[in-house]
Amino acid sequence: MPGYLVEDQRKVTTKRLQEMKQAGKKIAMLTSYDYTTARIVDGAGVDVILIGDSASNVMVGNATTLPMTVDQMVYHARSVVRAVKRALVVCDMPFGSYQVCAEDGVRNAIRIMKESGCDAVKLEGGVEILDTVRKILDAGIPVCGHLGLTPQSINKFGTYAVRAREEEEAEKLVSDAHALAEAGCFAIVLEKIPAELTARVVSEVEVPIIGIGGGPADGQVLVVDDMLGKNNDFSPKFLRRYADLFTIMTDAIGQYVTDVKSCDFPNAQERY
Ligand code: KIV
């Protein structure tokens, strides 16, 4: 199925994302965790598909992203990779897979790439994980950074509120973004920070900056289940809902239940 919104059907690469930033073309990124959804997301023209560790919340029902394992990420990523023809596929490295030491990080990044077939990995954090980021890059694996609200550190900060409102934290974020870009990250996700700070990073840092709850940037990312309105009890200010799948699916399934119970389904045409 072709991406009906895009003329350029070539496989998206990290180099192309850089060219898009230079040309002022915006990058559309969404998460996916399964084959069927990834096929639709890719076909609709999304440039980058993220197998986010948000799978922990939306697929598994956990309160945080922390329980996800490398095995689970590989399982989801493999399902997505099978569906994707055009988008660049990025897989989150889950909590615990890169925080102990750089060697662990490299080993797990290689596992994720080898076993899932994805194109790149994403890690949360700044200078504190720089050595690991460098070594993963040295292994030939493209890395996407992630700064601002970093859900894997929820227990350290104790809140999902907007980050880097204070000058000290904002300055650290800017220097982290420079450090990640200079190390060779192909893009950086900035989550839930003031729009002015995002604008500063976009103008100062040469690699594409992808925002989520951070205002305008070189591109945007959302969790696919959230933007499709599958989750009716999550509505942060930054989220735009493009559909109300919660209602559509509930109505459709409710109708199915009614039809089965009333013996309306299957009818004469729906049998052999
Ligand atoms: O896990 C995830 O879905 C993410 C995005 C919100 C950026 O990291």
Side-chain angles (χ1 to χ4, degrees):
M1 192 199 304
Y4 67 87
L5 295 175
V6 283
E7 286 160 22
D8 192 342
Q9 287 296 313
R10 288 173 302 161
K11 171 86 181 162
V12 178
T13 59
T14 56
K15 183 167 173 279
R16 183 94 55 78
L17 298 181
Q18 184 66 54
E19 290 164 2
M20 286 172 80
K21 170 156 181 148
Q22 276 152 8
K25 290 186 181 160
K26 298 294 180 188
I27 298 162
M29 178 166 166
L30 273 184
T31 66
S32 293
Y33 318 100
D34 66 89
Y35 176 87
T36 306
T37 309
R39 190 164 167 261
I40 296 168
V41 170
D42 188 51
V46 164
D47 302 303
V48 184
I49 296 183
L50 171 69
I51 300 98
D53 58 359
S54 51
S56 182
N57 311 95
V58 296
M59 300 299 289
V60 190
N62 292 318
T64 73
T65 59
L66 272 63
M68 287 309 276
T69 65
V70 172
D71 283 346
Q72 287 171 314
M73 293 307 298
V74 166
Y75 170 82
H76 287 293
R78 207 185 274 157
S79 314
V80 168
V81 166
R82 279 194 204 108
V84 173
K85 292 189 168 62
R86 177 181 172 274
L88 183 87
V89 181
V90 183
C91 183
D92 261 342
M93 294 196 64
F95 177 65
S97 68
Y98 60 96
Q99 286 89 349
V100 176
C101 63
E103 287 67 30
D104 247 19
V106 178
R107 204 171 293 115
N108 284 316
I110 289 173
R111 245 200 87 191
I112 289 170
M113 297 292 288
K114 208 188 250 297
E115 294 180 24
S116 75
C118 69
D119 302 311
V121 295
K122 176 166 83 57
L123 284 72
E124 295 181 8
V127 287
E128 53 287 333
I129 59 155
L130 205 55
D131 184 37
T132 305
V133 167
R134 285 205 186 99
K135 291 202 164 90
I136 295 174
L137 286 161
D138 285 347
I141 299 172
V143 175
C144 178
H146 184 154
L147 299 169
L149 176 65
T150 46
Q152 292 179 10
S153 306
I154 180 61
N155 292 314
K156 178 172 169 191
F157 297 104
T159 170
Y160 288 109
V162 176
R163 301 298 309 273
R165 280 197 195 277
E166 306 301 326
E167 199 184 333
E168 196 183 335
E169 195 184 343
E171 289 307 321
K172 177 178 174 345
L173 186 143
V174 173
S175 71
D176 280 346
H178 278 290
L180 290 172
E182 277 155 27
C185 287
F186 70 87
I188 301 170
V189 168
L190 293 185
E191 181 165 354
K192 226 170 169 189
I193 63 168
E196 265 180 34
L197 183 58
T198 301
R200 181 175 160 200
V201 179
V202 167
S203 71
E204 283 187 21
V205 174
E206 283 188 0
V207 303
I209 302 300
I210 313 291
I212 172 165
D218 299 309
Q220 296 293 320
V221 57
L222 286 175
V223 168
V224 71
D225 296 66
D226 296 342
M227 60 85 75
L228 290 176
K230 260 191 185 176
N231 190 351
N232 71 340
D233 57 10
F234 182 68
S235 50
K237 185 179 174 187
F238 69 80
L239 177 64
R240 186 179 292 182
R241 281 217 179 109
Y242 287 84
D244 180 7
L245 285 198
F246 184 88
T247 304
I248 291 171
M249 290 174 75
T250 304
D251 288 352
I253 294 164
Q255 186 61 53
Y256 166 75
V257 171
T258 303
D259 291 353
V260 169
K261 289 185 185 295
S262 67
C263 300
D264 180 79
F265 176 76
N267 64 24
Q269 285 74 47
E270 292 160 335
R271 61 182 78 159
Y272 297 101

